[in-house]
Amino acid sequence: MPAGMSKLAASAMSGVSRGARAFAPHRRFIATVDPVIQRAREMQKMKYDEAKEGKIRAPDYVGWDAELDADFKKLTVGPVKGGRPYQKICDSALDLIGFTPMVRMSRLAKHLDVECELLAKVEFFNAGGSVKDRIAKRMVEEAEKSGRIKPGDILIEATSGNTGVGLSLVAAL
């Protein structure tokens, strides 16, 4: 063993002379297939037998047709109208949703060395702090105008994300 070499390094060097097998740990891979996966693979190979399994029926979907288009147009009430309400006192936080300011990002544009006007939409100025407040407000307004919901109805939303927060805010106000 050369001077300054540890026993571990010396044993490693001796392993090199014996070949790479001396270092490779012996592993055995035993692949067990999940019983559900195994059954699915068996079923995939089976032929379809209408007598045993019944007739397969699928709707004849033709895409966006005139009937769907007419129903969609009945529910659509149009875009939100009005200006930015910053110069006046608002009656509710809902009045501010969707009227978030645009900010010129001149220092960032200079830092990135871009030759265009760089703007940012400040959506966190919405009452709930997210762009999802817009969609929540619009969903509730559209549902009220079309008669699908009315004041006092209980709305149930299955998410805890930003859309759920926005819906909670709009429904509460």
Side-chain angles (χ1 to χ4, degrees), residues 58-95:
D60 183 22
Y61 180 71
V62 292
W64 194 269
D65 60 4
E67 183 183 355
L68 278 175
D69 194 53
D71 289 343
F72 181 75
K73 285 179 180 171
K74 277 192 275 182
L75 295 176
T76 306
V77 294
V80 176
K81 295 181 175 83
R84 297 182 184 273
Y86 292 117
Q87 285 109 15
K88 62 180 183 176
I89 297 173
C90 297
D91 295 327
S92 166
L94 296 179
D95 296 338

Side-chain angles (χ1 to χ4, degrees), residues 33-105:
V33 179
D34 186 308
V36 173
I37 302 296
Q38 182 64 36
R39 180 67 180 135
R41 288 179 180 159
E42 291 170 8
M43 291 174 68
Q44 183 181 21
K45 295 174 187 169
M46 292 179 175
K47 297 285 184 191
Y48 168 70
D49 183 5
E50 187 176 329
K52 288 182 180 177
E53 300 177 52
K55 186 173 180 168
I56 295 176
R57 292 185 187 94
D60 183 22
Y61 180 71
V62 292
W64 194 269
D65 60 4
E67 183 183 355
L68 278 175
D69 194 53
D71 289 343
F72 181 75
K73 285 179 180 171
K74 277 192 275 182
L75 295 176
T76 306
V77 294
V80 176
K81 295 181 175 83
R84 297 182 184 273
Y86 292 117
Q87 285 109 15
K88 62 180 183 176
I89 297 173
C90 297
D91 295 327
S92 166
L94 296 179
D95 296 338
L96 296 171
I97 292 175
F99 296 104
T100 54
M102 299 266 294
V103 177
R104 187 169 283 109
M105 308 294 287

Side-chain angles (χ1 to χ4, degrees), residues 117-128:
E117 187 174 23
L118 189 60
L119 304 172
K121 188 79 168 144
V122 190
E123 292 293 344
F124 65 85
F125 274 32
N126 276 319

Side-chain angles (χ1 to χ4, degrees), residues 86-168:
Y86 292 117
Q87 285 109 15
K88 62 180 183 176
I89 297 173
C90 297
D91 295 327
S92 166
L94 296 179
D95 296 338
L96 296 171
I97 292 175
F99 296 104
T100 54
M102 299 266 294
V103 177
R104 187 169 283 109
M105 308 294 287
S106 54
R107 290 189 338 185
L108 182 60
K110 185 177 178 182
H111 174 74
L112 297 174
D113 195 29
V114 294
E115 295 181 19
C116 64
E117 187 174 23
L118 189 60
L119 304 172
K121 188 79 168 144
V122 190
E123 292 293 344
F124 65 85
F125 274 32
N126 276 319
S130 168
V131 68
K132 299 294 184 163
D133 295 352
R134 290 173 182 258
I135 189 172
K137 181 181 178 190
R138 182 71 184 260
M139 286 168 35
V140 171
E141 285 176 345
E142 294 281 335
E144 283 179 340
K145 287 177 185 175
S146 68
R148 287 175 286 169
I149 63 171
K150 61 187 180 312
D153 282 354
I154 296 173
L155 304 180
I156 299 173
E157 171 60 29
T159 181
S160 61
N162 286 340
T163 305
V165 171
L167 282 168
S168 297

